[in-house]
């Protein structure tokens, strides 16, 4: 009697375990789940690519400093540079300070 009860319980537990495993696998293979997995992999690959690019950039800067030291070329310190001058590229016609002409110019008058 105990033997039959043991095997019945073991079989039921194995069935529950197998059913749970199969249902979990089926949920992983749905289109939504596959899309989410692909998106996660793409994000992970993007992070690895960004880390690689940052490592390359740091290596380039380090190598550039080594070459500059070897060649005796030293860039001026950032604080030694003068501040850039700002010049207006276009005169604003409505502002009275910048108005240089008193008459409006019509391109069609020349034709």
């Amino acid at each position: 009697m105990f033997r039959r009860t043991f095997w019945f319980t073991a079989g039921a537990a194995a069935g529950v375990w197998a059913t749970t495993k199969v249902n979990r696998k089926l949920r992983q293979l749905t289109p939504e789940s596959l899309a989410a997995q692909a998106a996660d992999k793409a994000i992970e690959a993007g992070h690895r690519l960004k880390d690689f690019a940052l490592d390359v950039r740091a290596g380039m800067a380090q190598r550039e400093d080594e070459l500059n030291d070897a060649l005796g070329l030293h860039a001026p310190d950032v604080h030694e540079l003068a501040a850039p001058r700002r010049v207006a590229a276009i005169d604003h016609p409505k502002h009275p300070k910048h108005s240089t002409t008193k008459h409006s110019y019509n391109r069609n008058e020349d034709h």
Side-chain angles (χ1 to χ4, degrees), residues 90-102:
I90 300 174
D91 287 338
H92 197 282
K94 292 184 180 178
H95 198 280
K97 281 186 177 179
H98 297 295
S99 177
T100 56
T101 60
K102 293 183 181 180

Side-chain angles (χ1 to χ4, degrees), residues 5 17 23 31 79-80 93 95 100 103 105:
T5 306
W17 177 79
N23 284 335
H79 301 292
E80 295 175 8
H95 198 280
T100 56
H103 307 308
Y105 178 72

Side-chain angles (χ1 to χ4, degrees), residues 9-63:
T9 306
V16 169
W17 177 79
T19 303
T20 304
K21 205 68 155 145
V22 167
N23 284 335
R24 193 176 298 155
K25 195 59 151 175
L26 287 175
R27 269 186 260 127
Q28 286 179 351
L29 296 176
T30 61
E32 295 85 13
S33 178
L34 291 175
Q37 289 175 8
D40 290 342
K41 294 286 184 181
I43 289 171
E44 182 181 330
H47 287 304
R48 278 189 272 165
L49 186 62
K50 178 184 168 192
D51 291 341
F52 174 73
L54 291 173
D55 288 344
V56 168
R57 185 178 293 162
M60 285 173 36
Q62 179 183 358
R63 182 63 179 151

